[in-house]
């Protein structure tokens, strides 16, 4: 194997990173790398330690993060790497927890983040074309990349300096757009790779989804099934690395819940490691929250909530535990995986045996695979029959003992609960309504409405457009049952229309089709009529070629049904303003809220463009905090002056429910008492139904079948010997979070129960009385417990009315 070496320092005993076609090598040791994406910008500094600690508990040894250019340089030349955006502190915390880091500096990151991480001011640079062999862009990209690298170097955070950063990434999924730039795309890829290595050569550099990655960098895979879809790196001396294994899918407003099972993820990871992979990164391991206006077009405030650590940093079981157990099984297999020779035996189109074995030793691991998604099967391997559930892989770290199967979840399950706070009740709301502007109210005027992105320059979601038009009695319909129609063809994303101070309606596009046509009947009068449009964005683009050339906002405005026909008023002189008055006055702060007059009346009227203000005390306990917004429509929320994000509960999914109902309020944003919450409601809602809730996962469950192996933690590899630590037993394991104790057994059955944790239903052949008694005896009042899977203990055989069924032990308890 040829080995590429980085950061060699013969004079000092410092960490160095090397690699070859088999793996990344750190300090001379081959490593299996289990990584997870956690973005410092999508949580708060007080959350970082617990997130990193829990990731380590989940069996990870690497944290991956992007570096967010538009967060660190929102204004050209004004850098901010402190406070909530202290990248160096975040990396040091990872190091203090004994973990490594992959730093993805981009500077294009995509990430469902505003402008893909580019600051908006970059768009205004003359002659610039993003992500192309374009001199203005390359100059700014180089300058920013140098800034990040120098900052990290000064803190001595690269591995060859004794720090935790073992890899870095330049660019991001460029193959998706490269063809659009033709030859300049090819030149740009080479330039970006050379730039990265010239800026720092002490660690390897990556390019994900870059099939023609230059020899200087490692091409990696992104996707859900890289064990089957990745053709391998584009060089004989590069290892197979998976930089994004999507743990579900980010959501946009209007989406139904995103799902990806723990079993499917585990299968994909086991498959990848069975096929020469040595690094898997979960994107995301903790998604977190898109605070403020940071999310890209139509993306929800909640990000990758279905990750192993949910939006609030709570363990999503069984995803967290099942992947933790997988990591342990693979670690038990580390020596044969990294030093053994691979052999693949295809039994048929569905069944496959992959072994890694070192000749002349007992070092051997086997992956037994059933690719059939419908049918269980069995494999005879070295004289023994092994049962394989449908679409599963069994891992045998000694080529004899099944310690883990991707389809059989031994880890516990959990259900998330949103509990109305007793302490954080809201006594009173006050309201302040935005004035509907007229043409003379704004000094900025132009012939037609300005393009929305360029007008707001990412300083606000909102822009007003206002014009006046005169009608005499012969211009308007004579019949009272016929009204003219206001039509606005918009390039996105949404708008509110007002005529003569009267609210006309709300229209919007979608993530798939940003543009839309707004058409509503309006009341026009003889004489001067005032037409005002509040146009809005819902995040800026984050992907695709030529991002600097995107447009939004009203482009053609007509009044239809006048006596003269359709009247085009697009070019009739418009006055304009960026932002709404309450936003410009910062009424969401204590000081700004005193600049306007608040009223307690008309709270339930569903009035559009209205600000609502209240105070509440911090909720009891230490659980995460959220606000339930299901009584509202669309807008933004501030707590103590901090923007916690956009809400849009009126945009229903195909299931008839909001995509997101609860919105995270970090504990660090709160004071013990009198927390100011301000809501800007765009289309109308009832604030009196808003609730402050706490979040827990105190409902835990275990589901064990006849075919489950004993827990992987009963095995270890020590002194090159694979052995059991305790007598392997098949059992249902329960462990309360945060040191709580089990206070109630809510469900226990031994049979064929249906449903999931938090929503079990008894089956037709369930045995419940005896399991309930056993679980109560073994578990009540304890932090954790194990219920052995023993048929003779869980039921009376002489009372078995369904002797031929395969039984499942299902238990649900409340902590």
């Amino acid at each position: 194997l040829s080995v590429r070496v980085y950061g060699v320092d013969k004079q000092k005993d410092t960490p160095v990173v090397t690699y070859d076609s088999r793996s990344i090598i750190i300090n001379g040791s081959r490593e299996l790398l289990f990584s997870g994406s956690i973005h410092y910008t999508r949580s708060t500094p007080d959350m970082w330690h617990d997130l990193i600690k829990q990731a380590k508990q989940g069996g990870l040894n690497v944290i991956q993060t992007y570096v967010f250019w538009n967060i660190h340089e929102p204004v050209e030349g004004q850098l901010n790497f402190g406070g909530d955006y202290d990248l160096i502190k975040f990396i040091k915390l990872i190091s203090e927890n004994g973990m490594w880091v992959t730093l993805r500096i981009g500077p294009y990151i995509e990430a469902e983040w505003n402008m893909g991480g580019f600051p908006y001011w970059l768009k205004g640079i003359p002659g610039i074309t993003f992500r192309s062999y374009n001199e203005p862009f390359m100059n700014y990209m180089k300058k920013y990349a140098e800034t990040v690298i120098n900052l990290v170097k000064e803190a001595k955070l690269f591995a060859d300096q004794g720090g935790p950063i073992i890899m870095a990434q330049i660019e991001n999924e460029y193959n998706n757009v490269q063809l659009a730039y033709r030859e300049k795309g090819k030149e740009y890829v080479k330039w970006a790779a050379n730039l990265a290595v010239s800026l720092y050569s002490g660690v390897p550099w990556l390019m994900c989804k870059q099939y023609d990655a230059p020899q200087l960098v490692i091409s990696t895979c992104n996707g859900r099934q890289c064990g089957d879809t990745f053709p391998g790196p584009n060089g004989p001396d590069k290892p197979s690395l998976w930089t994004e294994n999507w743990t579900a899918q980010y959501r946009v407003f209007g989406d139904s819940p995103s799902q990806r099972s723990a079993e499917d993820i585990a299968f994909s990871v086991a498959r990848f490691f069975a096929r020469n992979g040595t690094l898997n990164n979960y994107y995301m391991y903790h998604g977190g929250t898109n605070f403020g206006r940071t999310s890209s077009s139509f993306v929800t405030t909640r990000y990758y909530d279905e990750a192993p650590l949910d939006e609030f940093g709570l363990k999503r079981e069984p995803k967290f535990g099942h992947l933790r157990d997988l990591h342990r099984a693979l670690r038990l297999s580390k020596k044969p995986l990294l030093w053994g020779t691979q052999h693949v035996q295809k039994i048929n189109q569905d069944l496959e045996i992959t072994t890694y074995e070192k000749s002349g030793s007992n070092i051997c691991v086997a992956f037994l695979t059933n690719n059939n998604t419908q049918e269980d099967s069995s494999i005879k391997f070295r004289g023994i029959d092994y049962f394989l559930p449908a679409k599963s892989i069994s891992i045998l770290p000694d080529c004899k003992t099944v310690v883990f199967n991707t389809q059989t979840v031994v880890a516990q399950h959990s259900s998330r609960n949103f509990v109305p706070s007793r302490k954080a009740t809201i006594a009173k709301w006050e309201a302040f309504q935005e004035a509907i502007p007229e043409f003379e109210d704004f000094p900025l005027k132009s012939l037609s409405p300005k393009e929305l992105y360029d007008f707001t320059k990412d300083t606000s979601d909102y822009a007003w457009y206002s014009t006046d038009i005169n009608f005499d009695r012969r211009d308007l319909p004579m019949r009272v049952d016929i009204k003219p129609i206001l039509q606005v063809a918009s390039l996105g994303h949404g708008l509110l229309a007002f005529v003569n101070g009267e609210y006309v309606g709300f229209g919007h596009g979608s993530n798939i089709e940003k543009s839309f046509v707004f058409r509503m009947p309006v009341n026009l009068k003889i004489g001067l009529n005032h037409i005002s449009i509040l146009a809005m964005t819902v995040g800026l683009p984050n992907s695709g070629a030529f991002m600097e050339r995107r447009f939004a906002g009203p482009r053609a405005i007509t009044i239809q049904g006048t006596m003269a026909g359709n009247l085009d008023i697009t070019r009739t002189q418009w006055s304009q303003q960026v932002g709404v008055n309450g936003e410009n006055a910062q009424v969401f702060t204590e000081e700004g809220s005193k600049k306007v007059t608040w009223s307690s009346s008309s709270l339930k009227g569903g009035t559009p463009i209205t600000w609502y203000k209240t105070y509440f005390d911090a909720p009891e306990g230490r659980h995460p905090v959220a606000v339930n917004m299901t009584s509202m429509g669309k807008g933004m929320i501030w707590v103590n002056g901090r923007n916690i994000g956009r809400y849009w509960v009126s945009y229903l999914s195909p299931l008839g429910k909001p995509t997101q109902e609860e919105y995270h309020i970090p504990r660090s944003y709160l004071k013990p008492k009198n927390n100011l919450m301000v809501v800007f409601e765009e289309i109308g809602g009832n604030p009196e139904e808003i609730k402050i809730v706490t979040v827990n996962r105190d409902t835990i469950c275990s589901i064990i079948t006849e075919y489950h192996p004993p827990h992987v933690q009963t095995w270890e590899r020590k002194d090159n010997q694979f052995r059991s630590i305790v007598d392997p037993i098949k059992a249902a394991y329960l462990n309360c979070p945060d040191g709580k104790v089990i206070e109630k057994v809510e469900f226990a059955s031994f049979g064929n129960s249906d449903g999931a944790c938090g929503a079990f239903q008894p089956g037709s052949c369930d045995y419940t009385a005896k399991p309930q008694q056993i679980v109560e005896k073994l578990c009540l009042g304890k932090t954790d417990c194990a219920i052995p899977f023993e048929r003779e203990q869980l039921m009376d055989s002489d009372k078995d009315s369904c002797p031929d069924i395969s039984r499942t032990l299902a238990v649900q308890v409340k902590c």
Side-chain angles (χ1 to χ4, degrees), residues 684-704:
N686 178 12
E688 294 186 335
E689 297 298 320
I690 292 175
K691 295 181 179 65
I692 305 296
V693 298
T694 60
V695 192
N696 70 63
R697 287 189 177 270
D698 291 346
T699 301
I700 61 173
C701 307
S702 186
I703 307 167
I704 305 295

Side-chain angles (χ1 to χ4, degrees), residues 10 91 105 127 159 234 249 326 371 383 428 578 623 670 796:
K10 297 180 180 179
I91 296 173
I105 70 166
N234 65 329
Q249 184 68 29
L326 168 63
N371 273 311
K428 183 180 73 169
V578 173
H623 286 143
L670 299 177
D796 298 318

Side-chain angles (χ1 to χ4, degrees), residues 319-332:
K319 197 169 282 187
F320 177 90
H322 194 48
L323 298 178
R324 174 201 61 210
D325 295 345
L326 168 63
H327 304 148
R328 182 172 177 85
L330 290 169
R331 279 198 174 90
L332 290 170

Side-chain angles (χ1 to χ4, degrees), residues 19 55 175 192 662:
Y19 66 82
N175 265 147
E662 303 87 11

